[in-house]
Amino acid sequence: MSSRIFAAAALLLTFSPMWAQAQVSPVQIGSDIPKEWHEPANDQDFVKREVMIPMRDGVKLHTVIVLSRGSARAPILLERTPYDAGSFLSGNSPRLRDRLLPGDRIWADNGYIMVAQDMRGKYGSEGTYVMTRPPIGPLNPTKTDDTTDAYDTIDWLVKHVPESNGRVGMIGSSYDGWAVVMALLNPHPALMVAVPESPMIDGWMGDDWFQHGAFRQKMFDYFAEQTSAKREGSAVSRTGRDDYQEMLDAGSAGAYAAAHGIDRLPWWQRLSAHPAYDALWQGQALDKIIAAHPSPVPTMWLQGLWDQEDIYGAVRSWEALKAKGMTANNHLAMGPWYHSQINGRGDVLGPLKWSGDTAAYFRREVLVPFFDTYLRDKKPTQPTPHVIIYNPAEDKWDRFADWPGAGPNALTPMYLRSGGGLAHTRPASGRESYVSDPAKPVPFEQLPVRMGDHASWSTWLVQDQRFVSTRPDVLSYQTPILEKAVRVQGAPFADIFLSTTGSDTDVVVKIIDVYPATNADAPELAGYQLPVSLAIFRGRYRRSFEHPTAIPSGVVQEYKFRLPTVNYTFKPGHRMMVQVQSSLFPLYDRNPQTYVPNIFFAKPDDYRPATITIEHGMSGASAVLLPIVASSTAAEP
């Protein structure tokens, strides 16, 4: 052992001079992270700029400008968003197309300057965030709103982007579509064209928050994600894998909000304090506001026929402007899409398969030519259609010179008949009853329900309704097998006469296409019950949306309400069906069926079963009112 130690010591002495020479004199070491560094962009085919654009009150908004290298006299495409302006570019490819989502690539291909901007108070922008900030006025006493912010942004862009031709178009879907409409309330002179896609127009009547007063509990996740942090917050936590059971166990929507901390968010506090269609909601109804202040900007109102979030606003805004005689510069477009599917692939929707990519076709053949017309003075191959709506049953685009109004007077009644019949002839008598039990609400999709699952959430409006058709609390009415086609073009109405043993109720009506029992080409669609149009209506608002009233027990009342717009053909060999029920849970909060001042905060004892009786005869002939046309009014393509 001693000899090995001695040898090691001798070896150390032998090499110690070399170690001494390798020692470095002490120096001051700085940070390895420089103040500024950018990878050389010589091989990039695009230029990206990030700027802070000042608004009239001094607040600066974070804005991302992207253009192809070498651009000159190019039009600007502006999108204002609360969802992170920087996120429309992803990855690190030096090629712009590789960095863009499918729906944006066509703009790069056509040489557009693409601009995205964070709204006030979100992500990189200064200021405070207010959910769908109301226009300046009684609900917004400040001197700024998203109308002024859009105006100031466009003014800056046309002065500070030298590669532009000084013309701007706006586009955006959902909340971003709302921002487009806000810009139209006082458009900058350089704003030449606009396309609000599935815009949030009236959150109480049918977009996002409610439908006819019934609250969309799906939005709890959105409230947490959007308002709990300046950047993206987290969705509501789940203890289980079934939203149906979890929300049922929680009780009321207010109880669920309290259990998950949503009750501490100012937006929920404001929303839940206004369950009726009062001044808060009326003052933000953009279809009415835009009709009162019509814009000269050529505008295309666009939405999906099965939009599960914003199926109300685009068509209602177009109709409001039509009523004001503003059809010359306003167009209506509806595709066979779920919410915002126009920006992705559009060849399938759930089990439905189209002959091609309908979204890509629309972007290429309609959308870009529409923008080019006003931003480049480039005449399209064919004129922009005044109205273009897909016919899903015939798998084709229909172009219309006009589109029927929404009034129920020109509609054809299809009467609900005892025994499950559906026919044009009015029955002389009859009624049918079911028990609606809040402890066992009808699900809006097959269990388990996972509203955070995009695949099921985006396609629930086309799910096969056979999963509820045999429930005792769902009444189904259908025609005999059709011998000839039935075409419907416009907005159907439900006209239901019913009584309840409770003092409040919800009414859900679905119009369904029942496929033949056999289908050799698509066996998965054999006997399929495809919802064509459906809606929910909160009974307390049957007389007034602003002033709810209790329903008198046992007294027949009329519930007439509009269903989503359709352009559809019920083919020979199919059947037409109508389903009626009293809940659509957990998407919509449960009606306790006992009248309480605010359903958001109903107590457990308020939830009681009630017997619902649908009238077919002298006390009221329940029906759906359909916009049936003898032959299609579509123009030849």
Side-chain angles (χ1 to χ4, degrees):
M1 177 67 71
S2 60
S3 61
R4 286 198 296 271
I5 294 173
F6 177 80
L11 186 63
L12 180 63
L13 291 173
T14 301
F15 287 99
S16 59
M18 185 181 299
W19 290 353
Q21 293 174 9
Q23 290 180 355
V24 179
S25 301
V27 296
Q28 183 68 35
I29 300 176
S31 173
D32 282 344
I33 301 176
K35 292 182 178 179
E36 187 174 350
W37 180 86
H38 298 286
E39 182 180 2
N42 297 331
D43 61 341
Q44 284 190 347
D45 64 0
F46 68 96
V47 175
K48 175 185 175 184
R49 302 174 188 144
E50 294 193 53
V51 296
M52 297 294 289
I53 298 181
M55 300 293 103
R56 62 191 62 186
D57 62 347
V59 170
K60 296 180 180 179
L61 304 186
H62 174 245
T63 309
V64 180
I65 304 169
V66 174
L67 59 151
S68 297
R69 192 174 295 279
S71 293
R73 296 193 57 77
I76 294 174
L77 186 71
L78 170 64
E79 182 166 355
R80 305 190 62 249
T81 181
Y83 302 128
D84 187 5
S87 65
F88 83 98
L89 287 181
S90 61
N92 58 358
S93 171
R95 302 291 175 258
L96 180 56
R97 286 191 100 258
D98 296 339
R99 303 280 293 272
L100 295 170
L101 295 171
D104 291 332
R105 291 169 192 158
I106 196 167
W107 302 111
D109 294 343
N110 284 273
Y112 275 72
I113 299 171
M114 304 170 67
V115 179
Q117 182 181 73
D118 290 324
M119 289 181 177
R120 282 178 178 251
K122 289 299 289 182
Y123 291 89
S125 287
E126 300 173 352
T128 57
Y129 176 69
V130 176
M131 181 81 77
T132 55
R133 185 187 301 269
I136 296 171
L139 299 176
N140 178 3
T142 73
K143 295 183 179 180
T144 61
D145 57 14
D146 284 87
T147 304
T148 64
D149 284 354
Y151 191 103
D152 294 349
T153 297
I154 293 172
D155 194 66
W156 189 95
L157 289 172
V158 296
K159 293 175 181 177
H160 294 86
V161 181
E163 298 88 349
S164 84
N165 63 4
R167 301 185 186 186
V168 179
M170 283 191 72
I171 197 169
S173 183
S174 193
Y175 201 129
D176 300 12
W178 171 89
V180 176
V181 182
M182 288 293 292
L184 292 173
L185 295 181
N186 181 28
H188 190 281
L191 180 59
M192 301 292 184
V193 63
V195 176
E197 302 171 331
S198 300
M200 302 164 68
I201 295 294
D202 191 324
W204 195 93
M205 283 294 187
D207 288 331
D208 284 298
W209 321 135
F210 299 83
Q211 188 174 77
H212 298 132
F215 173 64
R216 284 196 180 109
Q217 297 187 124
K218 170 70 171 69
M219 303 316 296
F220 278 128
D221 285 323
Y222 185 82
F223 298 165
E225 292 165 348
Q226 192 67 9
T227 69
S228 65
K230 183 175 182 179
R231 302 187 70 83
E232 184 178 7
S234 300
V236 175
S237 61
R238 266 78 163 171
T239 56
R241 297 279 290 168
D242 184 4
D243 288 339
Y244 181 97
Q245 192 61 49
E246 190 157 337
M247 288 186 164
L248 188 63
D249 293 343
S252 68
Y256 183 88
H260 293 275
I262 303 296
D263 61 334
R264 297 195 293 274
L265 298 176
W267 168 241
W268 164 255
Q269 294 169 0
R270 193 157 67 251
L271 178 148
S272 61
H274 296 270
Y277 194 58
D278 59 16
L280 177 73
W281 305 113
Q282 295 177 31
Q284 300 180 68
L286 286 185
D287 54 336
K288 299 176 182 65
I289 296 173
I290 196 71
H293 305 279
S295 160
V297 176
T299 303
M300 182 175 291
W301 300 89
L302 187 154
Q303 71 180 51
L305 289 164
W306 284 286
D307 190 313
Q308 79 282 9
E309 295 178 26
D310 294 302
I311 203 167
Y312 178 94
V315 66
R316 296 300 281 264
S317 297
W318 181 86
E319 289 174 359
L321 288 162
K322 176 183 176 180
K324 292 287 187 177
M326 297 294 296
T327 56
N329 66 312
N330 284 281
H331 306 260
L332 175 65
M334 302 179 75
W337 307 315
Y338 58 73
H339 185 68
S340 297
Q341 193 178 1
I342 174 59
N343 295 306
R345 289 189 60 88
D347 50 349
V348 299
L349 177 62
L352 307 178
K353 299 178 177 62
W354 317 123
S355 57
D357 187 338
T358 59
Y361 170 89
F362 188 87
R363 293 192 298 264
R364 182 182 68 249
E365 301 297 330
V366 180
L367 200 56
V368 171
F370 181 59
F371 276 88
D372 281 348
T373 299
Y374 301 102
L375 298 182
R376 285 181 161 138
D377 296 325
K378 184 178 178 182
K379 189 175 181 180
T381 304
Q382 56 180 329
T384 300
H386 185 55
V387 176
I388 179 170
I389 304 180
Y390 205 77
N391 186 320
E394 298 182 0
D395 194 14
K396 67 183 181 69
W397 287 100
D398 286 340
R399 296 167 181 252
F400 301 89
D402 195 9
W403 185 246
N409 294 332
L411 303 180
T412 301
M414 294 288 290
Y415 293 101
L416 315 185
R417 303 176 68 90
S418 297
L422 182 66
H424 291 295
T425 56
R426 177 177 177 139
S429 63
R431 61 171 57 96
E432 290 178 298
S433 299
Y434 61 88
V435 175
S436 173
D437 186 352
K440 301 175 183 178
V442 182
F444 79 98
E445 67 176 0
Q446 295 191 57
L447 302 180
V449 173
R450 297 166 186 161
M451 290 190 288
D453 178 6
H454 181 265
S456 63
W457 166 240
S458 60
T459 58
W460 80 266
L461 277 174
V462 295
Q463 287 188 12
D464 191 342
Q465 295 302 297
R466 283 179 291 187
F467 82 101
V468 297
S469 62
T470 58
R471 282 182 59 122
D473 51 358
V474 176
L475 296 182
S476 297
Y477 304 88
Q478 64 180 347
T479 65
I481 295 174
L482 298 176
E483 296 181 357
K484 60 180 182 179
V486 177
R487 296 178 183 275
V488 287
Q489 295 178 349
F493 277 72
D495 190 17
I496 306 299
F497 293 83
L498 66 81
S499 63
T500 174
T501 58
S503 51
D504 200 357
T505 189
D506 286 348
V507 184
V508 178
V509 174
K510 311 172 191 174
I511 299 174
I512 296 169
D513 182 4
V514 181
Y515 280 54
T518 61
N519 190 328
D521 295 328
E524 69 277 9
L525 293 177
Y528 203 92
Q529 294 181 4
L530 174 68
V532 174
S533 183
L534 69 86
I536 187 172
F537 185 92
R538 184 135 286 174
R540 60 176 52 208
Y541 302 113
R542 70 205 176 281
R543 295 176 180 168
S544 168
F545 289 128
E546 184 176 4
H547 302 292
T549 55
I551 299 172
S553 179
V555 178
V556 175
Q557 303 276 284
E558 182 180 18
Y559 303 82
K560 181 180 283 188
F561 55 96
R562 176 173 166 167
L563 279 67
T565 294
V566 295
N567 178 39
Y568 198 83
T569 303
F570 294 88
K571 294 181 175 181
H574 292 229
R575 296 175 186 261
M576 301 172 67
M577 174 183 280
V578 172
Q579 287 183 354
V580 180
Q581 58 200 56
S582 298
S583 50
L584 208 56
F585 187 77
L587 174 54
Y588 294 98
D589 63 331
R590 294 176 302 152
N591 192 316
Q593 304 185 141
T594 301
Y595 186 86
V596 295
N598 189 331
I599 289 180
F600 284 124
F601 305 107
K603 304 302 182 185
D605 290 345
D606 295 326
Y607 293 86
R608 301 172 188 173
T611 299
I612 310 297
T613 301
I614 307 295
E615 295 292 329
H616 302 313
M618 297 302 294
S619 298
S622 297
V624 291
L625 311 178
L626 300 180
I628 296 176
V629 295
S631 60
S632 177
T633 60
E636 291 297 324

